[in-house]
Amino acid sequence: QVQLVQSGTEVKKPGASVKIYCNSSAHTLSDHYMHWVRQAPGQGLEWMGIINPSGDNVNYSQPFQGRVAMSRDTSTSTVYLELSGLRSEDTAVYYCVRAGDQYFDLWGQGTPVTVSS
Amino acid sequence: DIVLTQTPLSSPVILGQPASISCRSSESLLHGNGDTYLSWLHQRPGQPPRLLIYKISNRFSGVPDRFSGSGAETDFTLKINRVEPEDVGVYYCMQATQFPRTFGQGTKVEIK
């Protein structure tokens, strides 16, 4: 069964950056748009942005513009999320999500990020 | 941004009984191509969400047929025909008609 595998737990200090990766266990992601969604503790889902299959076009949610960067390495079928200027409010679980026809059909297991001094 | 409002926010249900969740959008979710990109997701505690329904009423692969979706334009409903123990968790509606993608606040389904 296809799975999205994400990098592990991160603990960062305020002002630092974090870079999370996501790849597939057994299937190429190169044909798919990929999204990132985060979920703060006890809260709902927040969409962060999308990257196209070739990695040359991104669309970020306005609250994250200026401090988020999504990229992908098509040779390894890996997608990346980098978030800079971390603050305590960025403490959350970050999910990579594969997109089907405008629906989110496969989710990574999530990467917990804690921002604390 | 499109705002999705779910009701109720909490739904205690009896096993074997039906359950229903409403999702109302601040704008029509009808895309210019004629599709309506409203999905439903289910999240069990400690797990990532998983897709149940896409484009209003299409069950995703492996989703039991006790789940059904309906609606149009701005009003949508998820129904569970007979609630089973594994159906507990939080249900989210989500729209992909416009950027930014947005989610409802979530509806927590628990067994009464």
Side-chain angles (χ1 to χ4, degrees):
Chain A
Q1 188 173 358
V2 178
Q3 291 183 329
L4 295 181
V5 179
Q6 298 184 221
S7 48
T9 301
E10 299 272 6
V11 179
K12 297 290 183 180
K13 293 194 181 302
S17 297
V18 67
K19 190 169 186 176
I20 301 166
Y21 72 79
C22 164
N23 55 29
S24 171
S25 60
H27 193 275
T28 181
L29 300 177
S30 61
D31 297 333
H32 294 272
Y33 286 80
M34 296 294 294
H35 298 252
W36 289 91
V37 173
R38 76 176 185 181
Q39 186 171 36
Q43 301 300 307
L45 302 169
E46 181 178 24
W47 182 78
M48 299 182 68
I50 180 176
I51 184 166
N52 71 337
S54 57
D56 59 1
N57 194 17
V58 293
N59 185 331
Y60 301 138
S61 180
Q62 195 277 333
F64 300 101
Q65 286 179 7
R67 58 183 198 109
V68 69
M70 297 178 188
S71 58
R72 65 196 302 167
D73 182 342
T74 54
S75 67
T76 61
S77 204
T78 302
V79 291
Y80 299 91
L81 170 73
E82 185 168 19
L83 189 61
S84 60
L86 290 169
R87 34 205 189 228
S88 59
E89 309 89 91
D90 294 318
T91 293
V93 177
Y94 291 75
Y95 295 104
C96 63
V97 191
R98 189 181 74 177
D101 178 18
Q102 308 305 334
Y103 52 82
F104 290 4
D105 67 350
L106 187 62
W107 293 65
Q109 85 276 17
T111 296
V113 175
T114 300
V115 182
S116 174
S117 54
Chain B
D1 296 1
I2 292 177
V3 176
L4 299 179
T5 303
Q6 292 182 227
T7 53
L9 297 183
S10 178
S11 180
V13 297
I14 297 172
L15 286 176
Q17 293 298 303
S20 179
I21 301 169
S22 170
C23 176
R24 179 161 290 179
S25 174
S26 60
E27 301 176 36
S28 173
L29 298 184
L30 178 63
H31 193 276
N33 65 7
D35 279 327
T36 299
Y37 296 111
L38 186 283
S39 302
W40 290 95
L41 306 163
H42 175 217
Q43 185 176 33
R44 297 188 179 108
Q47 295 187 15
R50 67 177 184 119
L51 179 66
L52 293 177
I53 303 283
Y54 63 96
K55 288 198 281 188
I56 303 177
S57 60
N58 295 274
R59 271 190 306 277
F60 188 58
S61 174
V63 174
D65 61 8
R66 64 178 182 274
F67 290 93
S68 64
S70 63
E73 300 274 2
T74 60
D75 287 283
F76 306 91
T77 302
L78 175 70
K79 292 183 179 176
I80 309 174
N81 198 7
R82 292 177 304 277
V83 174
E84 299 198 4
E86 60 266 31
D87 299 338
V88 299
V90 181
Y91 290 80
Y92 296 93
C93 58
M94 188 209 114
Q95 68 81 21
T97 295
Q98 288 187 22
F99 285 108
R101 307 305 193 222
T102 50
F103 300 89
Q105 324 95 296
T107 295
K108 187 173 185 179
V109 171
E110 51 195 0
I111 304 302
K112 189 183 292 184

